[in-house]
Amino acid sequence: MRRSEVLAYESTGSGEPLLMIHGIGHRRQAWHPVVDRLAEHHEVFLVDLPGHGESPAHVADGRSPRQALIDPLEEFLAAASLERPHVVGNSLGGVVALELSKHGLARSVTAISPAGFWRNDVEFAYVRALFASVIATSGVLRPVAPWLLRHPWGRTLGLSWLTARPAAIPADVAYEDLCNMLDSKQALRDIIRGGYLFDGAVPADVPITIAWGTKDRVLRPYQADQARVRLPGARHVELPGCGHVPMADDPDLIADTILATTLDMTNTDLRRTA
């Protein structure tokens, strides 16, 4: 782990830079299942958002929750001398990646189940209630979580809302993710309180891919239809059998989806052969 003045991060690989942004309540390690594949083609930068992982606290200072996320990322890109990297984001990170494109800071965007495409306040109320319930339950179960998550059935019980293959998450990673979510709950509450609909305004010259898991239980797959309406110029991809955080569900599929955008190889099979 390295720390800039504003964000904790790690980097690996070589090639055109690729910035990866996790979702709300998560951390940069969410991308570890796909990093090796991506690092064969890119210098990959994984960041912890403010108030998450090992980054400093999320502080609004009178800014909107959206701007309080964008400003540190702009500062990070400047400090790391990253000029228009490819940007990949999941959930909250997906809508942040789209926002960066509006600021002229993204060479391409791959947004996986991005936030901001619910249809109305009622649908967003479901998201708020889901996270409130998960945080409350996780706080109660934290003392027994190491034992619970040691078992595949325990990970299924605790993580099936987030991923389609919870047993594929290593027990130690699952526990560290749970602790991170609880430790970042203030940032989570501040950010989710300011949730907003994405307006669909992105530069025409930035390649955009929107990918959605068919088993997403957080931002339901029907929101992909809203994304198609608001971003008709984007490439829209279905992720069969994948949940909301799909990197461990099907690492090859997720890596292929990202590389198809960053390498402009939409007609090429990037999947490894045995």
Side-chain angles (χ1 to χ4, degrees), residues 23 26 44 70 80 86 115 143 150 154 171 174 187 226 229 257 266:
H26 221 311
V44 182
I70 298 299
H86 299 282
R150 190 162 60 240
Q226 293 296 306
V229 171
T257 300
T266 55

Short mmCIF file of all heavy atoms in Angstrom, two decimals, residues 23 26 44 70 80 86 115 143 150 154 171 174 187 226 229 257 266:
data_model
loop_
_atom_site.label_atom_id
_atom_site.label_comp_id
_atom_site.label_asym_id
_atom_site.label_seq_id
_atom_site.Cartn_x
_atom_site.Cartn_y
_atom_site.Cartn_z
N GLY A 23 -16.74 0.21 -4.80
CA GLY A 23 -18.06 0.68 -4.43
C GLY A 23 -18.16 1.16 -3.00
O GLY A 23 -17.20 1.08 -2.21
N HIS A 26 -16.84 -0.53 0.44
CA HIS A 26 -15.86 -1.55 0.06
C HIS A 26 -14.45 -0.95 0.14
O HIS A 26 -14.23 0.08 0.78
CB HIS A 26 -16.17 -2.09 -1.33
CG HIS A 26 -15.99 -3.58 -1.43
ND1 HIS A 26 -14.85 -4.23 -0.99
CD2 HIS A 26 -16.80 -4.55 -1.96
CE1 HIS A 26 -14.97 -5.52 -1.22
NE2 HIS A 26 -16.15 -5.76 -1.80
N VAL A 44 -1.88 -0.49 -13.45
CA VAL A 44 -3.15 -0.48 -12.74
C VAL A 44 -3.00 0.22 -11.40
O VAL A 44 -2.10 -0.11 -10.62
CB VAL A 44 -3.67 -1.92 -12.53
CG1 VAL A 44 -5.02 -1.90 -11.84
CG2 VAL A 44 -3.77 -2.66 -13.87
N ILE A 70 -15.17 13.47 -5.91
CA ILE A 70 -14.46 13.82 -7.15
C ILE A 70 -13.19 14.62 -6.86
O ILE A 70 -12.13 14.38 -7.46
CB ILE A 70 -15.39 14.63 -8.08
CG1 ILE A 70 -16.60 13.78 -8.50
CG2 ILE A 70 -14.63 15.11 -9.32
CD1 ILE A 70 -16.26 12.53 -9.25
N ALA A 80 -0.22 11.94 -8.92
CA ALA A 80 0.40 10.76 -9.51
C ALA A 80 0.77 10.97 -10.98
O ALA A 80 1.26 10.03 -11.62
CB ALA A 80 -0.55 9.57 -9.40
N HIS A 86 -7.57 5.32 -18.26
CA HIS A 86 -8.81 4.55 -18.35
C HIS A 86 -9.34 4.43 -16.92
O HIS A 86 -8.56 4.30 -15.97
CB HIS A 86 -8.53 3.16 -18.92
CG HIS A 86 -7.96 3.18 -20.30
ND1 HIS A 86 -8.71 3.39 -21.44
CD2 HIS A 86 -6.68 3.00 -20.73
CE1 HIS A 86 -7.93 3.34 -22.50
NE2 HIS A 86 -6.69 3.11 -22.10
N ALA A 115 -24.05 3.16 -9.72
CA ALA A 115 -25.12 3.84 -8.99
C ALA A 115 -25.67 4.97 -9.86
O ALA A 115 -25.06 5.39 -10.84
CB ALA A 115 -24.59 4.39 -7.67
N PRO A 143 -18.57 -9.79 16.49
CA PRO A 143 -17.77 -10.62 17.41
C PRO A 143 -17.65 -12.08 16.98
O PRO A 143 -16.65 -12.74 17.27
CB PRO A 143 -18.51 -10.49 18.75
CG PRO A 143 -19.25 -9.19 18.65
CD PRO A 143 -19.65 -9.08 17.21
N ARG A 150 -15.76 -18.35 8.36
CA ARG A 150 -14.83 -19.44 8.09
C ARG A 150 -15.50 -20.57 7.31
O ARG A 150 -14.84 -21.34 6.63
CB ARG A 150 -14.24 -19.96 9.40
CG ARG A 150 -13.09 -20.93 9.22
CD ARG A 150 -12.27 -21.07 10.48
NE ARG A 150 -13.05 -21.56 11.61
CZ ARG A 150 -13.22 -20.89 12.74
NH1 ARG A 150 -12.65 -19.71 12.92
NH2 ARG A 150 -13.93 -21.41 13.74
N GLY A 154 -21.59 -19.84 5.98
CA GLY A 154 -21.58 -18.55 6.65
C GLY A 154 -21.35 -17.40 5.67
O GLY A 154 -21.97 -16.34 5.77
N ALA A 171 -12.13 -16.68 3.41
CA ALA A 171 -12.69 -16.31 4.72
C ALA A 171 -12.04 -15.06 5.28
O ALA A 171 -12.72 -14.18 5.84
CB ALA A 171 -12.54 -17.48 5.69
N ALA A 174 -13.29 -12.01 3.41
CA ALA A 174 -14.67 -11.70 3.79
C ALA A 174 -14.73 -10.97 5.12
O ALA A 174 -15.48 -10.00 5.28
CB ALA A 174 -15.49 -12.99 3.85
N ALA A 187 -18.82 7.40 6.39
CA ALA A 187 -18.72 7.84 5.00
C ALA A 187 -19.87 7.26 4.19
O ALA A 187 -20.47 7.96 3.35
CB ALA A 187 -17.38 7.40 4.41
N GLN A 226 -32.51 1.59 -17.60
CA GLN A 226 -32.41 3.04 -17.43
C GLN A 226 -31.08 3.56 -17.96
O GLN A 226 -31.01 4.63 -18.56
CB GLN A 226 -32.56 3.40 -15.95
CG GLN A 226 -33.93 3.14 -15.36
CD GLN A 226 -34.99 3.99 -16.02
OE1 GLN A 226 -34.88 5.21 -16.06
NE2 GLN A 226 -36.02 3.35 -16.56
N VAL A 229 -31.22 3.97 -21.65
CA VAL A 229 -31.97 5.16 -22.06
C VAL A 229 -31.11 6.41 -21.89
O VAL A 229 -31.07 7.28 -22.77
CB VAL A 229 -33.27 5.28 -21.23
CG1 VAL A 229 -33.94 6.62 -21.48
CG2 VAL A 229 -34.21 4.13 -21.58
N THR A 257 -14.34 -7.88 -20.08
CA THR A 257 -15.23 -6.73 -20.28
C THR A 257 -14.46 -5.43 -20.19
O THR A 257 -14.67 -4.50 -20.99
CB THR A 257 -16.36 -6.77 -19.23
OG1 THR A 257 -17.10 -8.00 -19.37
CG2 THR A 257 -17.31 -5.60 -19.40
N THR A 266 -13.42 -5.17 -28.94
CA THR A 266 -14.76 -5.69 -28.72
C THR A 266 -15.05 -6.92 -29.57
O THR A 266 -15.94 -7.70 -29.24
CB THR A 266 -15.82 -4.62 -29.01
OG1 THR A 266 -15.61 -4.11 -30.35
CG2 THR A 266 -15.73 -3.48 -28.04
#
